[in-house]
Structures are given as structure tokens and as C-alpha cells.
């Protein structure tokens, strides 16, 4: 059976991951961790693995990706499904760390003979792609807004891993803290005022939000 | 600061407006900070050299140098599998301190992976500005923003939402360098089907104008619409609508549209008239409400 590692961080991975094979939910850090564990348990995944250490919370997208990549090597996988963690940056970064193919904006996927078939919604089209396993799929941000799937299931025990057990030194995560922006009041976005409706239509067409031309 | 690299995404054979705005902002930063602005343009076919062609547009838009790469694999939507090796190769040669991408589906697909590969800081909802001390970079807006402070000794990849900056309006001529794209990665994702799908649109507002606009756009209820259009005033205000808050792009039409919080685009005037005109223009288009 296909081994699926779902990165519960940020939401969105479970709806895409369930049905691909035997799902292990990987949960990073707090406070998202508690919600992630609850969602994974409710969805009836085969296994829940949690890594909750202070260093993970403070690090940036690449530090988190390093943790996931190391955990994935230890746990084993055929497909990694990432959600909205680090606002969608976690999946591509994990793929880079593991030198795997990745595809973002995935709305649906299935396994077909050692390959993944994934549908991606972007730019006014739904495109279907095929790639040999292993791969990283990054679920569409819209999936993170859906209610997590629920399945009546026996209670899944939570396994806990430490950074030491997956071979990540806290200093590696600490180093990445300097790359993480710090809270500070930023500019306030204001609407771009367009002169008239034809200018708006031209703009929306260029962004493929309305049809024509 | 040495180099700013802007990835130019094409929408058909035209530059995506978000990329052109980003190039304009890169030009302003480049002039203020003494940086060279490179525009990386992956094209499926070699562009022409007339006034409205790609190179002229990028020259006027603020590029010091256009890096032109042509390959059939650039015909489809921008994503890492097709465009990543080129970006990687250009980054290795130019070593940009700041890599800018419009925060589109394609930009997001490239941005995070390029950042991870470069070991760069990543801003996914970026403001890229400069003051006397140098670059000022935020991720997010207002009270929920985060800022990169101090002398940056590392590269930054910034994904900037379309509509945030104005395009450049120069008359300088950019230097053009043809870049040979590396071969596509073996075993990549292969596209096996493509089906047009209209954008998910939600119209906020009451009355015949909203109804007509909704019909023209094929509007419906959606958890996460691609586009939300508010005919102002709405009751309750748009900000109280979950569909408005979750929409990828928000448009306000009406007398106070410019003050509408959260809108990316606004057109001021009588909401009913604007809505009717929009319905007429998009309703007349060959594919109706979707792309």
C-alpha cells in the first residue's frame, strides 16, 4: 500500500491525502499541533506522529522543512502531502530538501500504478498531471478552508519524536531564526483605483478571473 | 545591493500585469539603492522587436537587462517543473540579493522552492520598499505584518500580490541577453489533460444590478471564491462576509469603493451603473464569466 505522509501543519493536507494510501499524519509544534492532532484523529488516519519542540515554533519555513524532511526519511513515504503550513511554502521547501518533484495547487489526487495522478487548479484551467512516485503534493489553499474529513475510527495512538531522534540539531533551527521576519506594523493595503469598468475588465481578464480575449 | 531579479510571467503572449508592476517597483528600488534590475523572461517563442513586443514592454517597465530564454516547455503555465531549472541557472549566475515574483499560482510554485534552494528568506505576501537605510521588507500588512530588519546578509525571495505597486513608465532601452535554458528535469510531472474551468465568483449586494452581474459572471456561493465583487454599499458591509474575506481577489464598485477595506481593485461611481456595465462587458465575452 502507498505510504502517505500528510503534513497537518496549517490545514489542507488531509482532504487531499486520504484515499491515496495508508496515511501517517505528521504534526509539528504548537499551538497548531493540538488542532492538527485532533483533525488527524477525527479523520481516522493510520498513524499520528508529533514533533513538538520549542525550536520548531521559532524557526522559519526552511527550518520547518528540514524537520519534516528528516522525519520523512525516518518514517518512510511514497507521497508527502503538504497543506498550508508556512502559508504554502512548506511543501516546496520539503521537496527541495528531499530532491523530489513537487506540484502546488493540488485539488485532488489518486495513485495509479506507482504513479500519482494529480489535478491542479490554476489560471482558469484544471490540469491533470502524472508523475512517478515519490513526490510532494501541495494541496490547494482552498482545501485548507474546508472542514477536515471525519471518520468514525478506533483511537489512533500518538507517537512522539524528538529532534534528536530524527537527527536535527536545535542549532540548525536556531540559525534559521535570523531569516524569519519579526512582528512589526506594516503598510496598509489600499485598493488600486481603476479609472473605469473597461480597465477593470482588462485587469480581471489578465488575471484570468473573467473570460474573453 | 547588487542585483534584483524579477521573474516575468506571461499571460498568453502578454506580460502578466502583476509582473509588470513588480518590475516597476524593482526599478524604483534599483534607482534608490544602486542595484541592477534584471527581468527574466521565459518565452515559448522568440518575441519580436516592435514597440509593443515583450522586450520593449520590459524596457519601458524598468529593466536594465532582459534575460530572454526561449523553449517550447515555457508555453504552459509557469511552474517549477518547467521553469525551475532556468530560474536556478540564472540565480547561480547573477546571485540576486532580491528575487521578486508576482504572487500568482505560478509565482508561488517557483518562489518557495527557489528560496529553499538558495537558503533565502521568504516573504509570501511581501511589501518591498526602501528608505535611507536600505531595503525595507514586510511580510503581510498592518498589525499582522512581520518585517525583515537590519543589514541583510542573505538573499530574499519575495512574492508580491498583484495590484500592490504601479508599473514603471521609463523610456530607457534595456540590454538584452539570450539565455540558454537548461534541459527540463527528467521524470517531471507530465501534463495529461487540461480543462477550462470558470473562476468561482461571488457577488455581494442586493437589487437588480447585483442579480444581473451575478448571472453574467455565473456567480454562486463558494467557500473560497477566486473573485468577490461588492456593489457598495452592502448590508452587512463586505468585511463581515466570509466569502469576501476568503476570496483570492476582491473588487469594490461604488461611491466609496476606494475606501473599501480588503479590496484589491476599486472603481468609483454609481454601483448599479458600474455593475451593469461590468455585466455587459463580461457577459458579451466568448467564455462568459470564467477564464
Amino acid at each position: 500500500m502507498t505510504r502517505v505522509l500528510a503534513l497537518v501543519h496549517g490545514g489542507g493536507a488531509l482532504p487531499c491525502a486520504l484515499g491515496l494510501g495508508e496515511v501517517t499524519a505528521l504534526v509539528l509544534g504548537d499551538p497548531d499541533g493540538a488542532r492538527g492532532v485532533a483533525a488527524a484523529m477525527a479523520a481516522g488516519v493510520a498513524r499520528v506522529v508529533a514533533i513538538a519542540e520549542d525550536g520548531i515554533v521559532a524557526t522559519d519555513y526552511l527550518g520547518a522543512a528540514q524537520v519534516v524532511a528528516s522525519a520523512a526519511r525516518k518514517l518512510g513515504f511514497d507521497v508527502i502531502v503538504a497543506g498550508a503550513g508556512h502559508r504554502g511554502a512548506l511543501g516546496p521547501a520539503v521537496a527541495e530538501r528531499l530532491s523530489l518533484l513537487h506540484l502546488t495547487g493540488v485539488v485532488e489526487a489518486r495513485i495509479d500504478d506507482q504513479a500519482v495522478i494529480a489535478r491542479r487548479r490554476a489560471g482558469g484551467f484544471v490540469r491533470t498531471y502524472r508523475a512517478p512516485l515519490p513526490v510532494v503534493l501541495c494541496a490547494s489553499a482552498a482545501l485548507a478552508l474546508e472542514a477536515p474529513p471525519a471518520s468514525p475510527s478506533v483511537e489512533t495512538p500518538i507517537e512522539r519524536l524528538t529532534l534528536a531522534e530524527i537527527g536535527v540539531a536545535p542549532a540548525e533551527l536556531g540559525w534559521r531564526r535570523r531569516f524569519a521576519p519579526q512582528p512589526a506594523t506594516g503598510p496598509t493595503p489600499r485598493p488600486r483605483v481603476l479609472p473605469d469598468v473597461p480597465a477593470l475588465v482588462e485587469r480581471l481578464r489578465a488575471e484570468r478571473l473573467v473570460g474573453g480575449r | 545591493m547588487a542585483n534584483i531579479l524579477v521573474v516575468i510571467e506571461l499571460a498568453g503572449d502578454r506580460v502578466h500585469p502583476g509582473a509588470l508592476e513588480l518590475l516597476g517597483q524593482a526599478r524604483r528600488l534599483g534607482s534608490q539603492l544602486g542595484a541592477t534590475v534584471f527581468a527574466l523572461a521565459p518565452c515559448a517563442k522568440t518575441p519580436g522587436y516592435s514597440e509593443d513586443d515583450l522586450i520593449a514592454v520590459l524596457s519601458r517597465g524598468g529593466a536594465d537587462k532582459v534575460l530572454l530564454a526561449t523553449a517550447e516547455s515555457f508555453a504552459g503555465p509557469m511552474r517549477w517543473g518547467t521553469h525551475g531549472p532556468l530560474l536556478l541557472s540564472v540565480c547561480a549566475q547573477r546571485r540576486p540579493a532580491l528575487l521578486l515574483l508576482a504572487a500568482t499560482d505560478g509565482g508561488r510554485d517557483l518562489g518557495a522552492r527557489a528560496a529553499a534552494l538558495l537558503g533565502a528568506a521568504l516573504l509570501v505576501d511581501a511589501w518591498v520598499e526602501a528608505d535611507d537605510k536600505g531595503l525595507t521588507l514586510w511580510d503581510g500588512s498592518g498589525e499582522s505584518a512581520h518585517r525583515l530588519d537590519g543589514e541583510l546578509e542573505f538573499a530574499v525571495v519575495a512574492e508580491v500580490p498583484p495590484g500592490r505597486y504601479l508599473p514603471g513608465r521609463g523610456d530607457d532601452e534595456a540590454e538584452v541577453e539570450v539565455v540558454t535554458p537548461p534541459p527540463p528535469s527528467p521524470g517531471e510531472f507530465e501534463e495529461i489533460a487540461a480543462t477550462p474551468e470558470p473562476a468561482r465568483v461571488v457577488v455581494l449586494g442586493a437589487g437588480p444590478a447585483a442579480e444581473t452581474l451575478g448571472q453574467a459572471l455565473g456567480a454562486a456561493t463558494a467557500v473560497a471564491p477566486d473573485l468577490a465583487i461588492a456593489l457598495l454599499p452592502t448590508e452587512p458591509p463586505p468585511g463581515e462576509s466570509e466569502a469576501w474575506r476568503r476570496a483570492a481577489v476582491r473588487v469594490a464598485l461604488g461611491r466609496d469603493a476606494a475606501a473599501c477595506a480588503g479590496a484589491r481593485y476599486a472603481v468609483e461611481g454609481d454601483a448599479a451603473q458600474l455593475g451593469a456595465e461590468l455585466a455587459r462587458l463580461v457577459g458579451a465575452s466568448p467564455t462568459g464569466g470564467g477564464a
Side-chain angles (χ1 to χ4, degrees):
Chain A
M1 181 172 267
T2 308
R3 298 166 300 164
V4 182
L5 191 60
L7 311 182
V8 178
H9 188 53
L14 285 172
C16 188
L18 293 169
L20 290 177
E22 188 173 82
V23 177
T24 296
L26 180 62
V27 184
L28 293 189
D30 286 320
D32 199 50
R35 281 199 304 276
V37 167
M41 301 284 261
V45 301
R47 190 178 179 195
V48 176
V49 177
I51 309 173
E53 292 196 25
D54 289 347
I56 298 174
V57 178
T59 194
D60 77 338
Y61 75 101
L62 197 49
Q66 179 62 32
V67 173
V68 171
S70 301
R73 285 192 198 100
K74 182 178 178 72
L75 297 169
F77 66 91
D78 298 303
V79 182
I80 295 177
V81 182
H86 287 272
R87 289 185 287 171
L90 190 55
V94 168
E96 182 51 43
R97 278 291 173 256
L98 292 169
S99 300
L100 295 177
L101 307 177
H102 86 266
L103 190 69
T104 56
V106 174
V107 291
E108 198 182 338
R110 65 185 167 87
I111 300 297
D112 177 43
D113 190 23
Q114 290 303 302
V116 67
I117 311 278
R119 299 175 76 226
R120 177 179 195 241
R121 191 170 179 276
F125 281 83
V126 173
R127 296 174 193 272
T128 307
Y129 295 90
R130 181 188 178 95
L133 299 175
V135 297
V136 176
L137 300 178
C138 310
S140 156
L143 289 184
L145 301 175
E146 288 186 7
S151 162
S153 156
V154 293
E155 189 155 305
T156 315
I158 302 171
E159 300 166 42
R160 299 198 181 275
L161 286 177
T162 63
L163 292 178
E165 285 170 320
I166 59 171
V168 174
E172 290 180 61
L173 303 185
W175 158 255
R176 288 300 307 181
R177 265 183 229 154
R178 61 201 291 264
F179 295 79
Q182 299 303 310
T185 302
T188 303
R190 300 189 194 291
R192 164 78 64 80
V193 180
L194 299 170
D196 51 28
V197 172
L200 173 66
V201 171
E202 186 180 349
R203 185 74 199 208
L204 296 179
R205 280 185 178 143
E207 295 193 36
R208 297 186 186 278
L209 291 167
V210 299
R213 261 206 308 190
Chain B
M1 172 182 267
N3 295 334
I4 300 174
L5 178 62
V6 183
V7 177
I8 302 300
E9 183 172 357
L10 298 181
D13 56 355
R14 303 176 70 182
V15 179
H16 189 288
L20 210 49
E21 292 160 0
L22 212 42
L23 185 58
Q25 184 63 4
R27 174 70 278 144
R28 290 182 278 275
L29 296 175
S31 299
Q32 201 166 343
L33 303 172
T36 304
V37 177
F38 291 85
L40 173 61
C43 309
K45 293 177 184 166
T46 306
Y49 284 83
S50 71
E51 196 175 298
D52 292 330
D53 282 327
L54 180 68
I55 291 163
V57 169
L58 297 180
S59 288
R60 289 197 300 270
D64 289 315
K65 196 162 193 173
V66 175
L67 305 176
L68 185 65
T70 308
E72 277 180 23
S73 57
F74 299 145
M78 195 166 80
R79 60 184 183 85
W80 183 260
T82 50
H83 294 62
L86 170 67
L87 178 58
L88 188 57
S89 142
V90 168
C91 284
Q93 287 168 14
R94 305 292 171 182
R95 300 193 173 278
L98 184 60
L99 171 60
L100 298 175
L101 305 101
T104 60
D105 295 320
R108 292 193 188 287
D109 196 80
L110 257 66
R113 183 130 188 186
L117 209 141
L118 298 169
L122 174 66
L123 312 175
V124 298
D125 178 18
W127 295 85
V128 290
E129 308 202 351
D131 60 18
D132 297 342
K133 295 173 192 163
L135 266 182
T136 312
L137 303 168
W138 285 275
D139 200 4
S141 302
E143 297 295 321
S144 60
H146 289 67
R147 190 171 67 196
L148 268 182
D149 274 327
E151 288 279 315
L152 300 179
E153 295 164 353
F154 45 81
V156 177
V157 175
E159 298 168 2
V160 182
R164 191 158 277 182
Y165 294 107
L166 291 170
R169 299 251 184 262
D171 52 9
D172 291 339
E173 208 160 285
E175 200 179 320
V176 179
E177 181 179 324
V178 175
V179 178
T180 305
S185 314
E188 242 303 326
F189 275 98
E190 177 196 3
E191 185 179 314
I192 54 177
T195 315
E197 187 178 272
R200 289 186 287 242
V201 184
V202 168
V203 175
L204 278 65
E211 201 171 306
T212 307
L213 181 58
Q215 284 170 359
L217 290 165
T221 54
V223 178
D226 303 299
L227 172 64
I229 300 177
L231 298 185
L232 301 175
T234 63
E235 187 53 47
E240 292 180 27
S241 154
E242 198 169 330
W244 175 265
R245 290 197 304 271
R246 289 180 163 183
V249 177
R250 295 177 282 262
V251 173
L253 303 177
R255 299 215 185 279
D256 294 320
C260 183
R264 179 182 289 182
Y265 305 116
V267 182
E268 296 231 303
D270 179 81
Q273 285 179 13
L274 296 171
E277 188 180 3
L278 181 56
R280 184 173 52 78
L281 289 175
V282 296
S285 70
T287 53

Coordinates of all heavy atoms in Angstrom, one line a residue, chain A residues 78-115:
Chain A
D78 N 5.9 7.3 0.3 CA 5.9 7.3 -1.1 C 5.4 8.7 -1.6 O 5.8 9.1 -2.7 CB 5.0 6.2 -1.7 CG 5.5 4.8 -1.3 OD1 6.6 4.5 -1.6 OD2 4.7 4.1 -0.6
V79 N 4.5 9.3 -0.9 CA 3.9 10.6 -1.2 C 3.9 11.4 0.0 O 3.5 10.9 1.1 CB 2.5 10.5 -1.7 CG1 2.0 11.9 -2.1 CG2 2.3 9.5 -2.9
I80 N 4.4 12.7 -0.1 CA 4.2 13.6 1.0 C 3.1 14.6 0.5 O 3.2 15.1 -0.6 CB 5.5 14.4 1.3 CG1 6.5 13.4 1.9 CG2 5.2 15.5 2.4 CD1 7.9 14.0 2.2
V81 N 2.1 14.8 1.4 CA 1.1 15.8 1.0 C 1.2 17.0 2.0 O 1.1 16.8 3.2 CB -0.3 15.2 1.1 CG1 -1.4 16.3 0.7 CG2 -0.4 14.0 0.2
A82 N 1.5 18.1 1.5 CA 1.7 19.3 2.4 C 0.4 20.2 2.2 O -0.3 20.2 1.2 CB 2.9 20.1 1.9
G83 N 0.1 20.9 3.3 CA -1.0 21.8 3.3 C -0.6 23.3 3.3 O 0.4 23.6 2.6
A84 N -1.2 24.1 4.1 CA -1.0 25.5 4.1 C 0.1 25.9 5.1 O 0.2 27.1 5.4 CB -2.3 26.2 4.4
G85 N 0.9 25.0 5.6 CA 1.9 25.3 6.5 C 2.9 26.3 6.0 O 3.3 26.3 4.8
H86 N 3.2 27.3 6.8 CA 4.1 28.4 6.4 C 3.5 29.1 5.1 O 4.2 29.3 4.2 CB 5.5 28.0 6.2 CG 6.2 27.8 7.6 ND1 6.9 28.8 8.2 CD2 6.3 26.7 8.3 CE1 7.3 28.3 9.4 NE2 7.0 27.1 9.5
R87 N 2.2 29.2 5.2 CA 1.4 29.8 4.1 C 1.8 29.2 2.7 O 2.1 29.9 1.7 CB 1.6 31.3 4.1 CG 0.8 31.9 5.3 CD 0.8 33.4 5.3 NE 2.1 33.9 5.7 CZ 2.4 35.2 5.6 NH1 1.5 36.0 5.2 NH2 3.6 35.6 6.0
G88 N 1.8 27.9 2.7 CA 2.0 27.2 1.4 C 3.5 27.0 1.1 O 3.8 26.3 0.1
A89 N 4.4 27.5 1.8 CA 5.8 27.4 1.5 C 6.5 26.1 1.9 O 7.5 25.7 1.4 CB 6.6 28.6 2.1
L90 N 5.8 25.4 2.9 CA 6.5 24.2 3.5 C 6.6 23.1 2.4 O 7.7 22.5 2.4 CB 5.6 23.7 4.7 CG 6.3 22.7 5.5 CD1 7.6 23.1 6.1 CD2 5.3 22.3 6.7
G91 N 5.6 22.8 1.6 CA 5.7 21.7 0.7 C 6.8 21.8 -0.3 O 7.7 20.9 -0.4
P92 N 6.9 23.0 -1.0 CA 8.0 23.1 -2.0 C 9.4 23.0 -1.3 O 10.4 22.5 -1.9 CB 7.8 24.5 -2.6 CG 6.3 24.7 -2.5 CD 5.9 24.0 -1.2
A93 N 9.5 23.6 -0.1 CA 10.8 23.6 0.6 C 11.1 22.2 1.1 O 12.3 21.8 1.0 CB 10.7 24.5 1.8
V94 N 10.2 21.4 1.5 CA 10.4 20.0 1.8 C 10.9 19.2 0.5 O 11.8 18.4 0.6 CB 9.1 19.3 2.4 CG1 9.3 17.8 2.5 CG2 8.8 19.9 3.8
A95 N 10.2 19.5 -0.6 CA 10.6 18.8 -1.8 C 12.0 19.1 -2.2 O 12.8 18.3 -2.6 CB 9.7 19.3 -2.9
E96 N 12.4 20.4 -2.0 CA 13.8 20.8 -2.2 C 14.8 20.0 -1.3 O 15.8 19.5 -1.8 CB 14.0 22.3 -2.1 CG 15.3 22.8 -2.4 CD 15.8 22.4 -3.7 OE1 15.0 22.4 -4.7 OE2 17.0 22.0 -3.8
R97 N 14.4 19.9 -0.1 CA 15.3 19.3 0.9 C 15.5 17.8 0.6 O 16.5 17.2 0.9 CB 14.8 19.4 2.3 CG 15.1 20.8 3.0 CD 16.6 20.8 3.2 NE 17.1 22.1 3.7 CZ 17.8 22.9 2.9 NH1 18.1 22.6 1.6 NH2 18.3 24.0 3.4
L98 N 14.4 17.2 0.0 CA 14.5 15.8 -0.3 C 14.8 15.5 -1.8 O 14.7 14.3 -2.2 CB 13.1 15.1 0.0 CG 12.8 15.1 1.5 CD1 11.3 14.7 1.8 CD2 13.7 14.1 2.3
S99 N 15.0 16.6 -2.6 CA 15.3 16.5 -4.0 C 14.2 15.7 -4.7 O 14.4 14.8 -5.5 CB 16.6 15.8 -4.3 OG 17.6 16.5 -3.7
L100 N 12.9 16.0 -4.4 CA 11.8 15.4 -5.1 C 11.0 16.3 -6.0 O 11.1 17.6 -5.8 CB 10.8 14.9 -4.0 CG 11.3 13.8 -3.1 CD1 10.3 13.4 -2.0 CD2 11.7 12.5 -3.9
L101 N 10.2 15.8 -6.8 CA 9.3 16.6 -7.6 C 8.2 17.2 -6.7 O 7.8 16.6 -5.7 CB 8.6 15.8 -8.7 CG 9.4 15.0 -9.6 CD1 8.5 14.2 -10.6 CD2 10.3 15.9 -10.4
H102 N 7.7 18.4 -7.0 CA 6.6 18.9 -6.3 C 5.6 19.5 -7.2 O 5.9 19.9 -8.3 CB 7.0 19.9 -5.2 CG 7.1 21.3 -5.7 ND1 8.3 21.9 -6.1 CD2 6.2 22.3 -5.8 CE1 8.1 23.1 -6.5 NE2 6.8 23.4 -6.4
L103 N 4.3 19.6 -6.8 CA 3.3 20.2 -7.6 C 2.4 21.0 -6.6 O 1.9 20.4 -5.6 CB 2.4 19.2 -8.3 CG 1.4 19.7 -9.3 CD1 2.1 20.3 -10.5 CD2 0.5 18.6 -9.8
T104 N 2.2 22.3 -6.8 CA 1.3 23.1 -5.9 C -0.1 23.2 -6.5 O -0.4 22.8 -7.6 CB 1.9 24.5 -5.8 OG1 2.0 25.1 -7.1 CG2 3.2 24.5 -5.1
G105 N -1.0 23.7 -5.7 CA -2.4 24.0 -6.1 C -3.2 22.7 -6.4 O -4.1 22.7 -7.1
V106 N -2.8 21.6 -5.7 CA -3.5 20.3 -6.0 C -4.9 20.3 -5.3 O -5.0 20.6 -4.1 CB -2.6 19.1 -5.5 CG1 -3.3 17.8 -5.6 CG2 -1.3 19.1 -6.3
V107 N -5.9 20.0 -6.1 CA -7.2 19.9 -5.6 C -7.7 18.4 -5.4 O -8.6 18.2 -4.6 CB -8.2 20.6 -6.4 CG1 -8.0 22.1 -6.4 CG2 -8.2 20.2 -7.9
E108 N -7.0 17.5 -6.0 CA -7.4 16.1 -5.9 C -6.3 15.3 -6.5 O -5.5 15.7 -7.4 CB -8.6 16.0 -6.9 CG -9.4 14.7 -6.6 CD -10.6 14.7 -7.7 OE1 -11.0 15.7 -8.2 OE2 -11.1 13.6 -7.9
A109 N -6.1 14.1 -5.9 CA -5.0 13.2 -6.4 C -5.4 11.7 -6.2 O -6.3 11.4 -5.4 CB -3.7 13.5 -5.6
R110 N -4.8 10.9 -7.0 CA -5.0 9.4 -6.8 C -3.7 8.7 -7.2 O -2.9 9.3 -7.9 CB -6.2 8.9 -7.6 CG -6.1 9.0 -9.1 CD -7.4 8.6 -9.8 NE -7.4 9.0 -11.2 CZ -6.9 8.3 -12.2 NH1 -6.4 7.1 -11.9 NH2 -6.9 8.7 -13.4
I111 N -3.6 7.5 -6.8 CA -2.4 6.7 -7.2 C -2.8 5.7 -8.3 O -3.9 5.1 -8.3 CB -2.0 5.9 -5.9 CG1 -1.6 6.8 -4.8 CG2 -0.8 5.0 -6.3 CD1 -0.5 7.8 -5.1
D112 N -2.0 5.6 -9.3 CA -2.2 4.7 -10.4 C -0.9 4.1 -10.8 O -0.1 4.7 -11.4 CB -2.8 5.5 -11.6 CG -3.0 4.7 -12.8 OD1 -3.5 3.5 -12.6 OD2 -2.7 5.1 -13.9
D113 N -0.8 2.8 -10.4 CA 0.4 2.0 -10.8 C 1.7 2.7 -10.5 O 2.4 3.1 -11.5 CB 0.2 1.7 -12.3 CG 1.3 0.7 -12.7 OD1 1.8 -0.1 -11.9 OD2 1.6 0.6 -13.9
Q114 N 2.1 2.9 -9.3 CA 3.3 3.5 -8.9 C 3.5 5.0 -9.4 O 4.6 5.4 -9.5 CB 4.5 2.7 -9.3 CG 4.6 1.4 -8.6 CD 4.7 1.6 -7.1 OE1 5.6 2.3 -6.6 NE2 3.8 1.1 -6.3
A115 N 2.4 5.6 -9.8 CA 2.5 7.0 -10.2 C 1.4 7.7 -9.5 O 0.4 7.1 -9.0 CB 2.3 7.1 -11.7

